[in-house]
Amino acid sequence: MTDTKEIVSCPACGKEMKKVFIQELNVNIDICTDGCGGIFFDNRELKILNNNADQVDEILKLLDGKEFEQVDDSLERVCPACGSKMVKNKASNSDVVDNDFIVIDECYKCGGKFLDHGELERFKHSQAKKPEAKAKADIQYLYSQVGLTNDSIERDLANASPVKKLFNKLFGY
């Protein structure tokens, strides 16, 4: 489904959402600036934003320093784009580091996603940690292949030269 052009109501608090056009990405993001601070992403917009993380700061500036009303996140939410019931899901493991799960509301009919206030910052933080966590996981896998222990891994990671030590161990240097 394409980006909604009309003004939509927030699925969490029911207030009118503000359209924020991000020119570099050619997308409109719907933000609840006068209610709960939630953000609605039409189909694929969150993925586009994730691939262009520097654009997140533009959205966060609109929310910075504002007080937002609390909402009951246990209530059923309706997709503002198509009117279908939204489902609460944990962000997939590929989007999460250190079991820091983010629960988002998703519409299975049109692909829309709603993040409550503060969840975009958490999402951005988890994305920033992904390369570091992936490198550590890759090193742990390689170490396990040559029979090294977790203590070896932690010690070598602390010394900031695990790849060199692994290379030496693998090739007998």
Side-chain angles (χ1 to χ4, degrees):
M1 182 167 220
T2 60
D3 189 15
T4 56
K5 301 297 181 199
E6 60 276 346
I7 300 297
V8 296
S9 295
C10 176
C13 70
K15 298 218 170 128
E16 190 175 278
M17 299 186 88
K18 179 180 179 178
K19 293 256 181 235
V20 176
F21 182 68
I22 301 178
Q23 187 170 356
E24 293 84 2
L25 305 178
N26 197 32
V27 295
N28 279 310
I29 307 294
D30 300 285
I31 304 175
C32 187
T33 57
D34 297 322
C36 66
I39 305 171
F40 179 74
F41 297 92
D42 289 296
N43 188 12
R44 296 189 185 96
E45 288 178 344
L46 187 57
K47 186 172 187 152
I48 291 169
L49 195 64
N50 184 35
N51 293 335
N52 298 277
D54 53 324
Q55 300 300 321
V56 172
D57 294 331
E58 187 175 330
I59 295 169
L60 295 177
K61 283 179 193 173
L62 284 171
L63 304 174
D64 191 37
K66 285 191 163 193
E67 293 291 322
F68 296 105
E69 60 187 65
Q70 295 293 315
V71 293
D72 184 350
D73 62 358
S74 68
L75 296 177
E76 181 179 293
R77 295 184 177 173
V78 175
C79 178
C82 73
S84 297
K85 179 182 173 184
M86 297 185 88
V87 178
K88 293 193 179 303
N89 284 317
K90 290 181 181 177
S92 68
N93 288 336
S94 63
D95 295 336
V96 179
V97 177
D98 297 334
N99 294 323
D100 186 22
F101 289 103
I102 301 166
V103 177
I104 61 174
D105 298 281
E106 294 184 73
C107 177
Y108 288 160
K109 183 175 181 184
C110 72
K113 292 177 178 44
F114 180 78
L115 301 179
D116 289 299
H117 178 65
E119 290 178 341
L120 183 60
E121 293 92 337
R122 288 183 59 214
F123 190 79
K124 179 183 175 185
H125 178 71
S126 72
Q127 295 304 303
K129 289 170 59 178
K130 272 174 63 172
E132 175 185 313
K134 183 177 182 337
K136 185 175 179 179
D138 289 346
I139 290 168
Q140 287 174 332
Y141 172 76
L142 291 172
Y143 271 45
S144 70
Q145 297 304 300
V146 294
L148 294 174
T149 65
N150 280 337
D151 291 338
S152 309
I153 296 166
E154 293 304 320
R155 183 179 59 250
D156 287 349
L157 286 173
N159 292 331
S161 60
V163 174
K164 182 177 180 183
K165 289 183 184 249
L166 178 60
F167 181 85
N168 291 342
K169 181 74 172 177
L170 286 171
F171 296 101
Y173 290 99

